[in-house]
Amino acid sequence: MKPYLPIFIIIIFHQYAFCQTATFKGEVIDDKISIGYGVAAGDVDGDGKPDIVLADKKEIVWYKNPGEKGKSWIRYVIAKDLTEHDNVCIAVRDIDGDGKVEVAAGAQWNPSETKSTKQSGAVFYLNAPSDRTQLWEPTRLHHEVTIHRMQWVKKTEGAYQLIVLPLHGEGNSSGEGAGVKLIAFDIPENRKGLWGYELLETGMHMTHNFQPMEVSGRFLGLAVGGKEGVQVFLNGVDGWAPSGNWMVANNGIGEIRTGSLGNNQLFTATIEPMHGNSLVVYSKDGRTVLTEKMKEGHALVCADFFGQGRDQIVMGWRNPDVTGETGVRIFVGSDGEGKKWQEFTLDEKIKIATEDLTAADLDGDGDLDVIASGRATHNVVVYWNQRKN
């Protein structure tokens, strides 16, 4: 019996440790939001702690990190009533190295209007005052119809651009017609002045989200997901251009994020189709469906929450599934090939109809926490990572 005792102990320890990896504790920091179209994290006020930034229906707001769990997050308004219609997206990142994030916003969300740029779409850079708790000054930038997603993207040479993606091409109807034009803004020295930009004819119809592919500090390109699948776009001496490489073809894609399996192996996680019910992983070994039980999946994050040397997937959906549930789930890989995953609930007590997700180490313990915004539930929730508790 002696030779088997150490193995038995190792098995029990492994199972216990694995169960611990999926332990989070939810905390509602705001239960009165309107929609919560987009949520991001970054240090707004330069105190060294990541704050939470939210694009809500008519306001762009930020919540000051109190530095301790259980203390109140103070809410400040960055901008309000930017346009007649709703805000829809934000981009948040420190692009000049001063320890404080820059913020851009997409607004005039009117997806059924694809012809009038006055009635559909708007892009703003929000100029921060010296006191960032006060209202910020918006600078209106070029826009196309149905602006939908945006991110600050750091290219290989270190320069940043603001990349903006509409939902439809101009004049489209039901995803048919002109291709979507991706907008790449260069950042001027005077950010209140004119912003130069490049328009990229994607040839894709009805895009939904995109992922900058940044690996070990190297920028590899953009993976854009939409009606036709996932296409990769590259930036060269002549600007942006399609690479001709489709990561996913002939499957509609709503959300896309990339992650690591460890050992220099990458994977791509998608929600299919747009506003779909399937969470899918693509790796070098093929396509794996993780679940088909959600309804209107609308948010993805890939990150290493548990120090495993490989990423997990956090997924959220916003409409009740067959059991009447909405929520957030985490999928933990149990092999190095992206084929085997186990599903866990982050917090069963909190109800959230997930519109967007992000991740950040909010309490400085070295582990990433999850931040989610809820549409029908009108809440912002922090899921505290309990790995070291």
Side-chain angles (χ1 to χ4, degrees):
M1 293 296 293
K2 287 185 179 180
Y4 296 95
L5 185 58
I7 296 174
F8 175 76
I9 293 173
I10 289 170
I11 291 172
I12 293 298
F13 176 77
H14 173 76
Q15 289 177 339
Y16 174 77
F18 188 80
C19 289
Q20 292 300 299
T21 63
T23 302
F24 289 81
K25 184 176 182 181
E27 177 187 2
V28 178
I29 68 165
D30 191 344
D31 61 1
K32 294 180 175 62
I33 70 171
S34 295
I35 291 178
Y37 283 102
V39 66
D43 190 350
V44 176
D45 55 0
D47 66 355
K49 298 186 291 290
D51 307 296
I52 296 171
V53 185
L54 181 75
D56 207 1
K57 181 180 176 70
K58 301 303 290 183
E59 294 182 325
I60 307 296
V61 303
W62 70 282
Y63 302 87
K64 181 176 173 59
N65 190 333
E68 294 182 33
K69 300 173 187 176
K71 287 194 173 183
S72 296
W73 292 69
I74 303 174
R75 179 184 184 274
Y76 297 102
V77 177
I78 293 175
K80 58 184 177 181
D81 299 323
L82 287 169
T83 57
E84 175 187 358
H85 297 290
D86 294 2
N87 304 313
V88 69
C89 57
I90 47 173
V92 175
R93 192 167 185 174
D94 178 7
I95 63 174
D96 55 16
D98 68 350
K100 302 175 184 178
V101 296
E102 280 67 45
V103 180
Q108 195 71 335
W109 178 233
N110 189 11
S112 63
E113 175 55 69
T114 64
K115 295 180 180 179
S116 172
T117 54
K118 291 184 178 180
Q119 289 298 315
S120 180
V123 178
F124 296 91
Y125 175 74
L126 302 175
N127 297 276
S130 56
D131 179 359
R132 289 186 165 215
T133 67
Q134 301 302 306
L135 288 174
W136 299 26
E137 180 183 351
T139 294
R140 185 183 286 268
L141 309 183
H142 172 83
H143 74 274
E144 301 289 314
V145 294
T146 67
I147 295 298
H148 189 234
R149 292 290 182 264
M150 56 171 52
Q151 293 195 48
W152 298 106
V153 173
K154 185 179 182 180
K155 299 187 296 180
T156 304
E157 67 273 20
Y160 282 93
Q161 286 188 312
L162 176 64
I163 305 296
V164 179
L165 186 70
L167 180 71
H168 291 288
E170 185 175 353
N172 274 12
S173 176
S174 301
E176 299 292 337
V180 172
K181 294 179 182 177
L182 181 146
I183 315 170
F185 290 97
D186 294 320
I187 303 164
E189 185 174 346
N190 176 16
R191 297 177 191 167
K192 295 182 180 181
L194 295 176
W195 287 53
Y197 63 90
E198 174 190 356
L199 291 179
L200 172 62
E201 297 277 1
T202 66
M204 300 178 68
H205 306 85
M206 202 173 180
T207 59
H208 195 265
N209 213 332
F210 69 99
Q211 170 70 34
M213 296 185 294
E214 299 177 19
V215 180
S216 301
R218 293 179 58 238
F219 176 73
L220 303 179
L222 296 176
V224 178
K227 178 182 176 182
E228 288 97 348
V230 178
Q231 186 176 185
V232 177
F233 295 86
L234 304 178
N235 186 265
V237 293
D238 295 323
W240 287 95
S243 68
N245 175 32
W246 286 79
M247 295 174 64
V248 180
N250 302 318
N251 279 342
I253 301 296
E255 306 298 328
I256 176 170
R257 292 292 181 259
T258 56
S260 171
L261 293 170
N263 298 319
N264 295 317
Q265 297 293 322
L266 301 180
F267 69 87
T268 298
T270 63
I271 290 177
E272 302 178 13
M274 297 171 67
H275 296 171
N277 65 323
S278 297
L279 175 62
V280 181
V281 165
Y282 294 88
S283 66
K284 66 180 182 62
D285 296 308
R287 180 179 188 268
T288 302
V289 178
L290 277 59
T291 183
E292 295 180 299
K293 295 180 180 179
M294 60 179 162
K295 187 173 182 181
E296 289 215 12
H298 209 259
L300 280 178
V301 172
C302 296
D304 187 359
F305 293 91
F306 311 126
Q308 294 184 338
R310 61 189 180 200
D311 291 346
Q312 298 82 48
I313 303 169
V314 178
M315 170 273 291
W317 73 102
R318 65 186 190 183
N319 276 17
D321 60 17
V322 292
T323 67
E325 295 293 323
T326 59
V328 182
R329 298 286 189 271
I330 187 166
F331 292 79
V332 182
S334 56
D335 67 353
E337 299 177 348
K339 292 289 188 181
K340 298 178 181 179
W341 300 79
Q342 290 185 267
E343 178 182 353
F344 299 88
T345 302
L346 269 67
D347 190 319
E348 293 181 351
K349 296 179 181 178
I350 294 178
K351 302 300 181 184
I352 184 165
T354 311
E355 182 74 6
D356 199 19
L357 286 168
T358 193
D361 181 6
L362 296 176
D363 55 6
D365 66 354
D367 288 330
L368 292 171
D369 308 295
V370 177
I371 307 109
S373 57
R375 187 182 181 101
T377 48
H378 307 293
N379 51 358
V380 178
V381 180
V382 172
Y383 295 92
W384 298 101
N385 192 333
Q386 304 291 295
R387 184 173 78 99
K388 293 179 180 176
N389 291 3

